[in-house]
């Protein structure tokens, strides 16, 4: 079936609409970062750089590390941007831009988001690296796609909603597991995470400035939730859409974050960039090792 021009917009130079990458420029390994400025920091570790594109918050480069070709792309903030990025990355990999038809042979991408996060337990110190074994979408994005229950962990969802007394006005949360391949690569060097992906930085993460919260006990309820040996570990703002869309589209994806705040201890590290650099170095090593 031919995909209409209105549904997948291709720029006049042959690049996909928002992220301005061409199919031949996309590597099989993709690192996503939120901050556009972080793309150049990751690129310092690459060689044989092929290009640098920038369109709005979407900055991209492709180069090599340890003999493996890698694309680095910034996403900006939020699951809505991940909806754009993952859809367009998949189109670059699996849609023929000449015929506008889905390719017969599926190409699987390995997509790792490297970010920052706020931990919610006292035993997760600042500077810890947390890999999201499960990402929890409280943003509602995945609910707009068909068959969301096929990739969601429904028992965990129901237990979570019951435990936290989920507010009826909020979107149904969804729990999606990261790629087993990436979990295995990072399990020996990171905290096992169950990560809330919030649709905002303040109220949706339990911060009170002038407005009260729809669920005033949210942080305490999140902290006390248990499902087997899993517990909610941290907040960030993108991982659930990445895990959900990647699972739907047949890609290996995961999120690893550096804890720069601890909500339980009410502590934060403003000098966190050296630890993020260490996480980038670790991630590049893990993504390219045999």
């Amino acid at each position: 079936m031919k995909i209409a021009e209105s549904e997948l917009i291709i720029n006049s130079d042959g690049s996909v609409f928002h992220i301005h990458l061409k199919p031949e420029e996309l590597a099989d390994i993709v690192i996503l970062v939120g901050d556009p400025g972080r793309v150049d920091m990751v690129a310092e570790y690459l060689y044989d750089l092929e290009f640098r594109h920038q369109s709005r918050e979407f900055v991209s480069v492709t180069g090599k590390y340890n003999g493996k070709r890698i694309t680095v792309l910034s996403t900006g903030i939020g699951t809505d941007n991940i909806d754009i990025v993952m859809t367009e990355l998949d189109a670059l990999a699996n849609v023929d831009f000449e015929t506008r038809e889905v390719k017969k042979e599926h190409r699987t991408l390995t997509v790792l988001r490297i970010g920052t996060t706020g931990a919610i337990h006292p035993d997760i110190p600042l500077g810890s690296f947390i890999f999201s074994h499960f990402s929890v979408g409280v943003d509602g994005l995945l609910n707009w796609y068909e068959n969301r229950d096929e990739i969601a962990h429904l028992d965990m969802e129901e237990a979570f909603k019951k435990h936290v007394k989920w507010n009826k006005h909020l979107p149904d949360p969804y729990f999606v597991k990261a790629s087993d391949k990436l979990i295995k690569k990072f399990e020996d060097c990171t905290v096992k995470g169950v990560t809330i992906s919030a649709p905002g930085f303040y109220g949706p993460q339990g911060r009170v400035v002038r407005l009260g919260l729809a669920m005033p006990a949210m942080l305490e309820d999140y902290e006390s939730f248990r499902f087997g040996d899993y517990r909610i570990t941290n907040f960030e703002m993108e991982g659930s859409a990445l895990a959900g869309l990647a699972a739907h589209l047949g890609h290996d994806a995961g999120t690893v974050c550096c804890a720069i705040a601890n909500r339980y201890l009410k502590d934060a590290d403003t000098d966190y960039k050296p630890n993020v650099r260490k996480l980038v170095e670790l991630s590049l090593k893990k993504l390219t090792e045999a």
Side-chain angles (χ1 to χ4, degrees), residues 206-252:
R207 290 183 171 93
V208 176
V209 181
R210 291 187 62 227
L211 294 176
L213 302 176
M215 296 192 300
M218 184 176 74
L219 282 177
E220 293 83 356
D221 289 341
Y222 284 2
E223 184 196 357
S224 61
F225 174 72
R226 299 290 186 276
F227 190 86
D229 62 349
Y230 290 104
R231 60 177 182 168
I232 305 294
T233 51
N234 59 309
F235 283 103
E236 52 86 69
M237 295 179 64
E238 290 81 28
S240 60
L242 174 60
L245 292 173
H248 263 320
L249 293 166
H251 301 293
D252 290 310

Side-chain angles (χ1 to χ4, degrees), residues 3-10 17 100:
I3 301 170
E5 292 184 16
S6 61
E7 308 306 283
L8 177 64
I9 301 174
I10 299 173
F17 185 56
R100 291 185 163 274

Side-chain angles (χ1 to χ4, degrees), residues 90-146:
D90 177 74
L92 288 166
N94 290 302
V95 175
D96 187 318
F97 275 26
E98 296 294 326
T99 65
R100 291 185 163 274
E101 295 180 344
V102 176
K103 296 176 182 178
K104 293 181 179 179
E105 185 174 339
H106 181 270
R107 178 184 174 191
T108 300
L109 303 175
T110 297
V111 186
L112 179 69
R113 169 174 140 66
I114 302 175
T116 55
T117 190
I120 65 169
H121 289 280
D123 62 338
I124 304 177
L126 299 181
S128 298
F129 300 154
I130 304 171
F131 188 91
S132 304
H133 288 223
F134 282 93
S135 289
V136 185
V138 298
D139 55 286
L141 187 138
L142 202 64
N143 300 332
W144 288 94
Y145 290 94
E146 66 178 355

Side-chain angles (χ1 to χ4, degrees), residues 81-95:
N81 277 16
I82 296 296
D83 182 60
I84 290 170
V85 167
M86 264 320 293
T87 300
E88 294 190 359
L89 286 176
D90 177 74
L92 288 166
N94 290 302
V95 175

Side-chain angles (χ1 to χ4, degrees), residues 43-91:
E44 292 175 15
Y45 295 92
L46 307 182
Y47 59 92
D48 291 347
L49 293 175
E50 300 172 20
F51 60 84
R52 185 186 188 278
H53 297 320
Q54 181 165 4
S55 175
R56 300 187 183 186
E57 60 265 57
F58 307 112
V59 177
S60 59
V61 300
T62 291
K64 290 181 180 178
Y65 183 89
N66 196 25
K68 301 287 183 67
R69 194 165 176 252
I70 295 175
T71 295
V72 186
L73 172 65
S74 61
T75 65
I77 296 175
T79 54
D80 52 342
N81 277 16
I82 296 296
D83 182 60
I84 290 170
V85 167
M86 264 320 293
T87 300
E88 294 190 359
L89 286 176
D90 177 74

Side-chain angles (χ1 to χ4, degrees), residues 25-36:
E25 294 176 330
L26 177 65
D28 288 338
I29 300 173
V30 182
I31 291 176
L32 301 182
V33 294
D35 181 0

Side-chain angles (χ1 to χ4, degrees), residues 241-267:
L242 174 60
L245 292 173
H248 263 320
L249 293 166
H251 301 293
D252 290 310
T255 293
V256 63
C257 290
C258 177
I260 66 169
N262 188 294
R263 303 297 300 285
Y264 184 94
L265 299 175
K266 301 186 184 305
D267 196 7

